[in-house]
Amino acid sequence: MELRLEPELAAKVEQWSAETGRPAGELVEDAITGYFSEIEELRETLDRRYDEIVSGKVQPVDGPEAVRLIKERAAARRKSIA
């Protein structure tokens, strides 16, 4: 497979290749592999959470309530550290 990169990105890859001593193709392959691994993990998490909501195991929280809970937990953590 042949990839065409924008000049700016190609320059970054070449720079990383020079700095690390690794071939540019190897760096690109590692980056793409990592990207797809992260996407797969995210998709599995989203599927699992969706299944938990549909089954009733987990109740969804609306946006403002989620922000309130996060702020409460952060404040509690700050108090426990101080």
Side-chain angles (χ1 to χ4, degrees):
M1 175 181 279
E2 189 174 316
L3 296 174
R4 291 184 184 199
L5 303 176
E6 293 295 322
E8 185 177 306
L9 181 55
K12 286 181 182 180
V13 171
E14 291 301 327
Q15 180 183 350
W16 292 336
S17 177
E19 289 176 7
T20 63
R22 294 178 63 198
E26 187 178 292
L27 291 173
V28 171
E29 187 173 328
D30 284 353
I32 292 171
T33 299
Y35 172 80
F36 282 117
S37 292
E38 288 181 25
I39 293 296
E40 182 179 346
E41 184 179 323
L42 175 61
R43 184 66 190 191
E44 289 170 359
T45 299
L46 291 173
D47 287 345
R48 186 175 57 253
R49 295 303 287 172
Y50 176 79
D51 292 342
E52 290 172 346
I53 290 170
V54 169
S55 71
K57 184 177 178 182
V58 172
Q59 294 299 314
V61 177
D62 68 9
E65 177 67 6
V67 170
R68 186 187 66 74
L69 291 170
I70 291 168
K71 287 180 178 180
E72 282 181 8
R73 290 178 187 160
R77 237 177 304 166
R78 282 193 297 275
K79 286 180 183 177
S80 70
I81 293 172

